[in-house]
């Protein structure tokens, strides 16, 4: 079992053309009550000043590691590269347009350390809107439960059915390295590769939903889900469920 004084936590992120947002993400990870071992950001050949901003952060955030792609991957392969480039015992994902709440890592890692049967934890989020035609506002997503929820191969389909509109937020995912090594990388044939991966994790590991708010989720015109589209999202969701059912 991992010990709190020994555990190394890697925060990982894939970014593209979001200079100010990724700066906020890095600072949110750096200022955690449980400071990570490293913060790894993989840049997918940004055409704005993202790399300059990240390089300027090194003086303030010495644990920041910047990975530079030689060509634009289109998204999902860059997520894989970010995680492949980290070395921690526990991996915490954060999208480049989101920001951790100050105690996110401490609370999530504490759960993983206290229960070695759990491979991955996730939690709820706070919406922050940054659309040009309306002011910013904070809105807490509805908690799925007042108690922790355990998800595994026996309960994955009922859980996904009950929470199909938002089964998890990717920036709240914190998991053991063994989960990544066993489950494998995100499948780039899916735009919603994180959803397909989350479902696949449930084949071999227990997943725990923590009833708390861990991340500020920025809603803006450049959100990944806006690019995918609702019809394609539903199609990929069903394909992920069908793939899980044939594997059980």
């Amino acid at each position: 079992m991992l010990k709190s004084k020994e555990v190394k936590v890697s925060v990982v992120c894939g970014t593209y053309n979001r200079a100010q947002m990724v700066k906020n993400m890095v600072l949110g990870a750096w200022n955690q009550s449980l400071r990570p071992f490293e913060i790894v950001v993989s840049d997918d050949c940004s055409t704005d000043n993202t790399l300059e901003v990240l390089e300027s952060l090194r003086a303030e955030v010495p644990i920041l590691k910047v990975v530079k792609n030689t060509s634009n991957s289109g998204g999902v392969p860059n997520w894989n590269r970010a995680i492949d480039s980290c070395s921690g015992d526990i991996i915490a994902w954060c999208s480049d347009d989101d920001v951790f709440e100050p105690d996110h890592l401490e609370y999530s890692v504490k759960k993983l350390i206290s229960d070695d049967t759990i491979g991955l934890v996730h939690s709820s989020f706070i919406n922050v809107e940054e659309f040009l035609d309306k002011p910013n506002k904070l809105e807490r997503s509805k908690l799925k439960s007042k108690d922790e929820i355990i998800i595994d191969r026996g309960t994955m389909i009922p859980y996904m059915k009950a929470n199909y509109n938002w089964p998890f937020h990717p920036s709240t995912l914190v998991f053991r390295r063994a989960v990544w090594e066993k489950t494998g990388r995100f499948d780039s044939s899916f735009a919603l590769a994180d959803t397909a991966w989350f479902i696949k994790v449930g084949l071999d590991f227990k997943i725990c939903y923590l009833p708390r708010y861990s991340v500020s989720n920025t809603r803006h015109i450049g959100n990944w889900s806006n690019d995918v589209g609702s019809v394609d999202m539903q199609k990929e969701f069903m394909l992920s469920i069908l793939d899980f059912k044939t594997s059980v």
Side-chain angles (χ1 to χ4, degrees):
M1 178 182 293
L2 292 172
K3 305 296 183 181
S4 58
K5 293 183 178 179
E6 301 170 354
V7 67
K8 292 183 177 180
V9 181
S10 295
V11 175
V12 294
C13 172
T15 192
Y16 177 71
N17 281 359
R18 288 179 177 169
Q20 185 57 48
M21 288 183 177
V22 77
K23 177 180 179 179
N24 293 337
M25 185 284 301
V26 170
L27 292 176
W30 171 245
N31 291 313
Q32 288 290 292
S33 56
L34 173 63
R35 182 155 284 176
F37 163 71
E38 63 181 353
I39 301 170
V40 179
V41 179
S42 181
D43 179 73
D44 209 14
C45 294
S46 292
T47 57
D48 65 355
N49 66 328
T50 292
L51 279 175
E52 289 83 354
V53 167
L54 290 171
E55 291 296 341
S56 70
L57 276 173
R58 288 182 184 274
E60 182 178 355
V61 187
I63 62 171
L64 175 61
K65 175 182 178 181
V66 180
V67 180
K68 304 173 185 179
N69 287 345
T70 56
S71 61
N72 181 267
S73 73
V76 175
N78 192 41
W79 305 353
N80 287 325
R81 187 170 189 195
I83 298 178
D84 287 344
S85 300
C86 79
S87 58
D89 309 305
I90 291 178
I91 301 168
W93 174 263
C94 192
S95 298
D96 59 356
D97 52 358
D98 296 330
V99 178
F100 289 162
E101 292 297 292
D103 62 350
H104 169 52
L105 292 182
E106 180 179 5
Y107 200 96
S108 300
V109 171
K110 180 180 178 181
K111 180 62 182 180
L112 290 172
I113 291 175
S114 65
D115 188 346
D116 59 6
T117 70
I118 302 297
L120 177 150
V121 298
H122 66 111
S123 44
S124 290
F125 57 93
I126 304 167
N127 272 323
V128 180
E129 294 192 346
E130 291 194 357
F131 294 102
L132 297 178
D133 59 346
K134 63 179 67 175
N136 293 6
K137 71 174 184 178
L138 297 178
E139 179 184 14
R140 291 179 180 268
S141 62
K142 184 178 179 181
L143 293 177
K144 302 180 188 303
S145 168
K146 62 182 179 64
D147 300 313
E148 294 180 354
I149 300 173
I150 301 298
I151 310 152
D152 57 20
R153 64 166 53 214
T155 58
M156 177 61 77
I157 291 179
Y159 171 82
M160 297 299 286
K161 181 179 179 181
N163 298 280
Y164 69 93
N165 60 328
W166 207 292
F168 68 95
H169 191 295
S171 293
T172 71
L173 298 179
V174 182
F175 50 94
R176 302 178 191 277
R177 173 164 294 279
V179 170
W180 183 250
E181 293 174 348
K182 174 70 175 180
T183 305
R185 307 167 95 214
F186 297 121
D187 185 347
S188 59
S189 66
F190 286 97
L192 298 181
D194 52 349
T195 299
W197 184 83
F198 178 87
I199 294 172
K200 190 176 178 182
V201 168
L203 287 172
D204 297 301
F205 299 93
K206 288 184 179 179
I207 299 171
C208 182
Y209 165 76
L210 304 174
R212 65 189 314 271
Y213 297 98
S214 295
V215 171
S216 290
N217 170 59
T218 308
R219 303 300 302 162
H220 57 97
I221 58 176
N223 281 133
W224 184 269
S225 56
N226 292 337
D227 293 336
V228 178
S230 60
V231 174
D232 287 340
M233 287 172 68
Q234 289 298 319
K235 179 180 178 182
E236 288 200 353
F237 178 83
M238 292 307 299
L239 288 173
S240 299
I241 290 292
L242 289 173
D243 185 56
F244 177 87
K245 290 179 69 175
T246 59
S247 300
V248 174

